[in-house]
Coordinates of all heavy atoms in Angstrom, one line a residue:
R183 N -8.7 7.1 -14.7 CA -8.6 5.7 -14.2 C -7.7 4.9 -15.2 O -6.9 4.1 -14.8 CB -10.0 5.1 -14.3 CG -10.2 3.8 -13.6 CD -11.6 3.2 -13.9 NE -12.6 4.1 -13.2 CZ -13.0 3.9 -11.9 NH1 -12.5 2.9 -11.2 NH2 -13.9 4.7 -11.4
N184 N -7.9 5.2 -16.5 CA -7.1 4.5 -17.6 C -5.7 4.8 -17.3 O -4.8 3.9 -17.4 CB -7.5 4.9 -19.0 CG -8.7 4.2 -19.5 OD1 -9.1 3.2 -18.9 ND2 -9.3 4.7 -20.5
F185 N -5.3 6.1 -17.1 CA -3.9 6.4 -16.9 C -3.4 5.7 -15.6 O -2.3 5.1 -15.7 CB -3.8 7.9 -16.7 CG -2.4 8.4 -16.5 CD1 -1.4 8.2 -17.5 CD2 -2.0 8.9 -15.3 CE1 -0.1 8.6 -17.3 CE2 -0.6 9.2 -15.1 CZ 0.3 9.1 -16.1
V186 N -4.1 5.8 -14.5 CA -3.6 5.3 -13.2 C -3.4 3.8 -13.2 O -2.4 3.3 -12.8 CB -4.5 5.8 -12.1 CG1 -4.2 5.2 -10.8 CG2 -4.4 7.4 -12.0
F187 N -4.5 3.1 -13.7 CA -4.5 1.7 -13.5 C -3.9 0.9 -14.7 O -3.0 0.1 -14.6 CB -5.8 1.1 -13.2 CG -6.4 1.6 -11.9 CD1 -7.5 2.4 -11.8 CD2 -5.7 1.3 -10.7 CE1 -8.0 2.8 -10.6 CE2 -6.1 1.8 -9.5 CZ -7.3 2.5 -9.4
E188 N -4.5 1.3 -15.9 CA -4.1 0.5 -17.1 C -2.7 0.9 -17.6 O -1.9 0.1 -18.0 CB -5.1 0.8 -18.3 CG -6.5 0.5 -17.9 CD -6.7 -0.9 -17.3 OE1 -6.0 -1.8 -17.7 OE2 -7.6 -1.0 -16.4
I189 N -2.4 2.2 -17.5 CA -1.1 2.7 -18.0 C 0.0 2.6 -17.0 O 1.1 2.1 -17.3 CB -1.2 4.1 -18.7 CG1 -2.2 4.0 -19.9 CG2 0.1 4.7 -19.0 CD1 -2.7 5.3 -20.4
C190 N -0.3 3.1 -15.8 CA 0.8 3.1 -14.8 C 0.8 1.8 -14.0 O 1.8 1.6 -13.3 CB 0.6 4.3 -13.8 SG 0.6 5.9 -14.6
G191 N -0.3 1.1 -14.0 CA -0.3 -0.2 -13.2 C -0.4 0.1 -11.7 O 0.1 -0.8 -10.9
A192 N -0.9 1.2 -11.3 CA -1.0 1.5 -9.8 C -2.0 0.5 -9.2 O -2.9 -0.1 -9.9 CB -1.5 2.9 -9.6
K193 N -1.9 0.3 -7.9 CA -2.8 -0.6 -7.2 C -3.7 0.2 -6.3 O -3.3 1.2 -5.7 CB -2.0 -1.5 -6.2 CG -1.0 -2.4 -6.9 CD -1.6 -3.8 -7.1 CE -0.7 -4.8 -7.8 NZ 0.0 -4.3 -9.0
A194 N -5.0 -0.2 -6.3 CA -6.0 0.6 -5.5 C -5.9 0.2 -4.0 O -6.6 -0.7 -3.6 CB -7.4 0.4 -6.0
N195 N -4.9 0.7 -3.3 CA -4.7 0.3 -2.0 C -4.5 1.5 -1.0 O -4.0 1.3 0.1 CB -3.5 -0.7 -1.9 CG -2.3 0.0 -2.4 OD1 -2.3 1.2 -2.7 ND2 -1.2 -0.8 -2.6
W196 N -4.9 2.7 -1.4 CA -4.8 3.8 -0.5 C -6.2 4.0 0.1 O -7.1 4.5 -0.5 CB -4.4 5.0 -1.2 CG -3.9 6.1 -0.3 CD1 -2.7 6.2 0.3 CD2 -4.7 7.2 0.3 NE1 -2.7 7.2 1.2 CE2 -3.9 7.9 1.2 CE3 -6.0 7.6 0.1 CZ2 -4.3 9.0 1.9 CZ3 -6.4 8.7 0.8 CH2 -5.6 9.3 1.7
N197 N -6.3 3.7 1.4 CA -7.5 3.9 2.1 C -7.1 4.4 3.5 O -6.0 4.5 3.9 CB -8.4 2.7 2.1 CG -7.7 1.5 2.7 OD1 -6.8 1.7 3.6 ND2 -7.9 0.4 2.2
R198 N -8.1 4.7 4.3 CA -7.9 5.3 5.6 C -7.0 4.4 6.5 O -6.1 4.8 7.1 CB -9.2 5.5 6.3 CG -10.2 6.4 5.6 CD -11.3 6.5 6.5 NE -12.6 6.5 5.8 CZ -13.8 6.4 6.4 NH1 -13.8 6.3 7.7 NH2 -14.9 6.4 5.7
A199 N -7.4 3.1 6.6 CA -6.7 2.2 7.5 C -5.2 2.1 7.0 O -4.3 2.2 7.8 CB -7.3 0.8 7.5
A200 N -5.0 2.1 5.7 CA -3.7 1.9 5.2 C -2.9 3.2 5.5 O -1.7 3.2 5.8 CB -3.8 1.7 3.6
F201 N -3.6 4.4 5.3 CA -2.9 5.6 5.6 C -2.4 5.7 7.1 O -1.3 6.0 7.4 CB -3.8 6.8 5.3 CG -3.2 8.2 5.7 CD1 -2.4 8.8 4.9 CD2 -3.5 8.7 7.0 CE1 -1.8 10.0 5.2 CE2 -2.9 9.9 7.4 CZ -2.1 10.6 6.5
V202 N -3.3 5.3 8.0 CA -3.0 5.3 9.4 C -1.8 4.4 9.6 O -0.8 4.8 10.3 CB -4.2 4.9 10.3 CG1 -3.8 4.7 11.7 CG2 -5.3 5.9 10.2
A203 N -1.9 3.1 9.1 CA -0.8 2.1 9.4 C 0.5 2.7 8.9 O 1.5 2.7 9.6 CB -1.2 0.8 8.8
E204 N 0.5 3.1 7.6 CA 1.7 3.6 7.0 C 2.3 4.8 7.7 O 3.5 4.9 7.9 CB 1.5 3.9 5.5 CG 2.5 4.8 4.9 CD 3.1 4.1 3.7 OE1 3.0 2.9 3.5 OE2 3.8 4.9 3.0
T205 N 1.5 5.8 8.1 CA 1.9 7.0 8.7 C 2.5 6.7 10.1 O 3.6 7.2 10.4 CB 0.8 8.0 8.8 OG1 0.2 8.1 7.5 CG2 1.3 9.4 9.3
V206 N 1.8 5.8 10.8 CA 2.3 5.5 12.2 C 3.7 4.8 12.0 O 4.7 5.2 12.7 CB 1.3 4.6 12.9 CG1 2.0 3.9 14.1 CG2 0.1 5.4 13.3
E207 N 3.8 3.9 11.1 CA 5.1 3.2 10.9 C 6.2 4.2 10.5 O 7.3 4.1 11.0 CB 4.9 2.1 9.9 CG 6.0 1.2 9.5 CD 6.7 0.7 10.8 OE1 6.0 0.4 11.8 OE2 8.0 0.6 10.8
S208 N 5.9 5.1 9.6 CA 6.9 6.0 9.1 C 7.4 7.0 10.2 O 8.5 7.3 10.3 CB 6.5 6.6 7.7 OG 6.4 8.0 7.9
I209 N 6.4 7.4 11.0 CA 6.8 8.3 12.1 C 7.7 7.6 13.1 O 8.7 8.1 13.6 CB 5.6 8.9 12.8 CG1 4.7 9.8 11.8 CG2 6.0 9.7 14.1 CD1 3.4 10.2 12.3
R210 N 7.3 6.3 13.3 CA 8.1 5.5 14.3 C 9.5 5.4 13.8 O 10.5 5.6 14.6 CB 7.4 4.1 14.3 CG 7.9 3.3 15.5 CD 7.1 2.0 15.7 NE 5.8 2.3 16.3 CZ 4.7 1.6 16.0 NH1 4.7 0.6 15.1 NH2 3.5 1.9 16.6
R211 N 9.7 5.1 12.5 CA 11.1 5.0 12.0 C 11.8 6.4 12.1 O 12.9 6.4 12.5 CB 11.0 4.6 10.5 CG 11.2 3.0 10.4 CD 11.3 2.6 9.0 NE 9.9 2.3 8.5 CZ 9.4 3.0 7.4 NH1 10.0 3.9 6.8 NH2 8.1 2.7 7.0
Q212 N 11.1 7.4 11.7 CA 11.7 8.8 11.6 C 12.2 9.3 13.0 O 13.1 10.0 13.0 CB 10.7 9.7 11.0 CG 11.2 11.1 10.7 CD 10.0 12.0 10.4 OE1 8.9 11.7 10.2 NE2 10.3 13.3 10.2
T213 N 11.4 8.9 14.0 CA 11.7 9.5 15.3 C 12.4 8.6 16.3 O 12.5 8.9 17.4 CB 10.4 10.0 15.9 OG1 9.5 8.8 16.2 CG2 9.6 10.9 15.1
E214 N 12.8 7.5 15.8 CA 13.4 6.5 16.7 C 14.3 7.0 17.8 O 15.2 7.7 17.5 CB 14.2 5.5 15.8 CG 14.2 4.1 16.4 CD 14.9 3.1 15.4 OE1 14.8 3.4 14.2 OE2 15.5 2.2 15.8
G215 N 13.9 6.7 19.0 CA 14.7 7.1 20.1 C 14.6 8.6 20.5 O 15.1 9.0 21.6
A216 N 14.0 9.5 19.7 CA 14.0 10.9 20.0 C 12.6 11.2 20.6 O 11.7 10.4 20.6 CB 14.2 11.7 18.7
R217 N 12.5 12.5 21.1 CA 11.2 12.9 21.6 C 10.6 13.9 20.7 O 11.3 14.6 19.9 CB 11.4 13.5 23.0 CG 12.0 12.5 24.0 CD 12.2 13.1 25.4 NE 10.9 13.5 25.9 CZ 10.2 12.7 26.7 NH1 10.6 11.5 27.0 NH2 9.1 13.2 27.3
A218 N 9.3 14.1 20.8 CA 8.6 15.1 20.0 C 7.6 15.9 20.9 O 7.1 15.4 21.9 CB 7.9 14.5 18.9
I219 N 7.4 17.2 20.5 CA 6.3 17.8 21.1 C 5.3 18.2 20.0 O 5.6 18.3 18.9 CB 6.7 19.1 21.9 CG1 7.5 20.0 21.1 CG2 7.3 18.8 23.2 CD1 7.9 21.3 21.8
C220 N 4.0 18.2 20.5 CA 3.0 18.5 19.5 C 2.2 19.8 19.9 O 1.9 20.0 21.0 CB 2.0 17.4 19.4 SG 0.6 17.7 18.3
A221 N 2.1 20.7 18.9 CA 1.4 21.9 19.1 C -0.1 21.6 18.9 O -0.6 21.5 17.8 CB 1.8 22.9 18.1
L222 N -0.8 21.5 20.0 CA -2.3 21.2 19.9 C -3.1 22.5 19.9 O -2.7 23.4 20.7 CB -2.7 20.3 21.1 CG -2.6 18.8 21.0 CD1 -3.2 18.2 22.2 CD2 -3.3 18.4 19.7
S223 N -4.1 22.5 19.1 CA -5.0 23.7 19.1 C -6.4 23.3 19.6 O -7.2 24.2 19.8 CB -5.0 24.3 17.8 OG -5.8 23.5 16.9
G224 N -6.6 22.0 19.6 CA -8.0 21.6 20.0 C -8.8 21.4 18.8 O -10.0 21.0 18.8
G225 N -8.3 21.8 17.6 CA -9.0 21.7 16.4 C -8.9 20.3 15.8 O -8.1 19.4 16.3
V226 N -9.6 20.0 14.7 CA -9.5 18.7 14.1 C -8.1 18.3 13.7 O -7.6 17.2 14.0 CB -10.5 18.6 12.9 CG1 -10.6 17.2 12.3 CG2 -11.8 19.2 13.1
D227 N -7.5 19.2 13.0 CA -6.2 18.8 12.3 C -5.1 18.5 13.4 O -4.5 17.4 13.3 CB -5.7 20.0 11.5 CG -6.8 20.5 10.6 OD1 -7.8 19.8 10.4 OD2 -6.6 21.7 10.1
S228 N -4.9 19.3 14.3 CA -3.8 19.0 15.2 C -4.2 17.9 16.1 O -3.3 17.1 16.5 CB -3.4 20.3 16.1 OG -4.5 20.7 16.9
T229 N -5.5 17.7 16.4 CA -5.9 16.6 17.3 C -5.6 15.3 16.6 O -5.1 14.3 17.1 CB -7.4 16.7 17.7 OG1 -7.5 18.0 18.3 CG2 -7.7 15.7 18.8
V230 N -6.1 15.2 15.3 CA -5.8 14.0 14.5 C -4.3 13.7 14.4 O -3.9 12.6 14.5 CB -6.5 14.1 13.1 CG1 -6.1 12.9 12.2 CG2 -8.0 14.1 13.3
A231 N -3.6 14.8 14.1 CA -2.1 14.6 14.0 C -1.6 14.1 15.3 O -0.7 13.1 15.3 CB -1.4 16.0 13.7
A232 N -2.0 14.6 16.5 CA -1.5 14.2 17.8 C -1.8 12.7 18.0 O -1.0 11.9 18.5 CB -2.1 15.1 18.9
V233 N -3.0 12.3 17.7 CA -3.4 10.9 18.0 C -2.6 10.0 17.1 O -2.2 8.9 17.6 CB -4.9 10.8 17.8 CG1 -5.4 9.3 17.9 CG2 -5.7 11.6 18.9
L234 N -2.4 10.4 15.9 CA -1.6 9.6 15.0 C -0.1 9.4 15.5 O 0.4 8.3 15.6 CB -1.4 10.2 13.6 CG -2.4 9.9 12.5 CD1 -2.1 10.7 11.3 CD2 -2.2 8.4 12.1
V235 N 0.4 10.5 15.9 CA 1.8 10.5 16.4 C 1.9 9.8 17.7 O 2.8 9.1 18.0 CB 2.4 11.9 16.4 CG1 3.8 11.9 17.0 CG2 2.4 12.6 15.1
N236 N 0.9 10.0 18.5 CA 0.8 9.3 19.8 C 0.9 7.8 19.6 O 1.5 7.1 20.4 CB -0.5 9.7 20.5 CG -0.5 9.4 22.0 OD1 0.5 9.8 22.7 ND2 -1.4 8.6 22.5
Q237 N 0.2 7.3 18.6 CA 0.2 5.8 18.3 C 1.6 5.4 18.0 O 2.0 4.3 18.3 CB -0.7 5.5 17.1 CG -2.2 5.6 17.6 CD -3.1 4.8 16.6 OE1 -2.6 4.3 15.6 NE2 -4.4 4.8 16.9
A238 N 2.4 6.3 17.3 CA 3.7 5.9 16.9 C 4.7 6.1 18.0 O 5.7 5.3 18.1 CB 4.2 6.8 15.7
M239 N 4.5 7.0 18.9 CA 5.6 7.4 19.8 C 5.3 7.2 21.3 O 6.1 7.2 22.2 CB 6.0 8.9 19.7 CG 6.5 9.2 18.3 SD 7.0 10.9 18.1 CE 8.5 10.9 19.1
G240 N 4.0 7.0 21.6 CA 3.6 6.8 23.0 C 4.1 7.9 23.9 O 4.0 9.1 23.5
D241 N 4.7 7.6 25.0 CA 5.1 8.6 25.9 C 6.4 9.4 25.5 O 6.8 10.3 26.2 CB 5.2 8.1 27.4 CG 6.3 7.0 27.4 OD1 7.1 6.8 26.4 OD2 6.4 6.3 28.5
R242 N 6.9 9.2 24.3 CA 7.9 10.0 23.8 C 7.3 11.3 23.2 O 8.1 12.2 22.8 CB 8.8 9.3 22.8 CG 9.7 8.3 23.5 CD 10.7 7.7 22.5 NE 10.0 6.8 21.5 CZ 10.1 7.0 20.2 NH1 10.7 8.0 19.7 NH2 9.4 6.2 19.4
L243 N 6.0 11.3 23.1 CA 5.4 12.6 22.6 C 4.7 13.3 23.8 O 4.0 12.7 24.6 CB 4.2 12.2 21.6 CG 3.3 13.3 21.2 CD1 4.0 14.3 20.3 CD2 2.0 12.8 20.5
T244 N 5.0 14.6 23.8 CA 4.3 15.5 24.8 C 3.5 16.5 24.0 O 4.1 17.2 23.1 CB 5.3 16.2 25.7 OG1 6.2 15.2 26.3 CG2 4.6 17.0 26.8
N245 N 2.3 16.6 24.4 CA 1.4 17.6 23.7 C 1.4 18.9 24.5 O 1.4 18.8 25.7 CB 0.0 17.1 23.5 CG 0.0 15.8 22.6 OD1 0.2 15.9 21.4 ND2 -0.1 14.7 23.3

Side-chain angles (χ1 to χ4, degrees):
R183 191 187 296 272
N184 278 344
F185 179 68
V186 168
F187 295 120
E188 307 308 326
I189 294 168
C190 300
K193 299 263 178 312
N195 56 9
W196 194 83
N197 55 34
R198 302 183 221 169
F201 175 83
V202 170
E204 162 124 343
T205 308
V206 167
E207 182 47 37
S208 114
I209 296 170
R210 196 169 281 148
R211 264 185 273 119
Q212 187 189 354
T213 60
E214 209 171 331
R217 297 178 68 86
I219 51 177
C220 174
L222 273 184
S223 72
V226 187
D227 312 342
S228 63
T229 308
V230 171
V233 172
L234 264 177
V235 178
N236 197 53
Q237 287 198 357
M239 300 184 70
D241 59 11
R242 287 187 290 122
L243 170 71
T244 306
N245 296 288

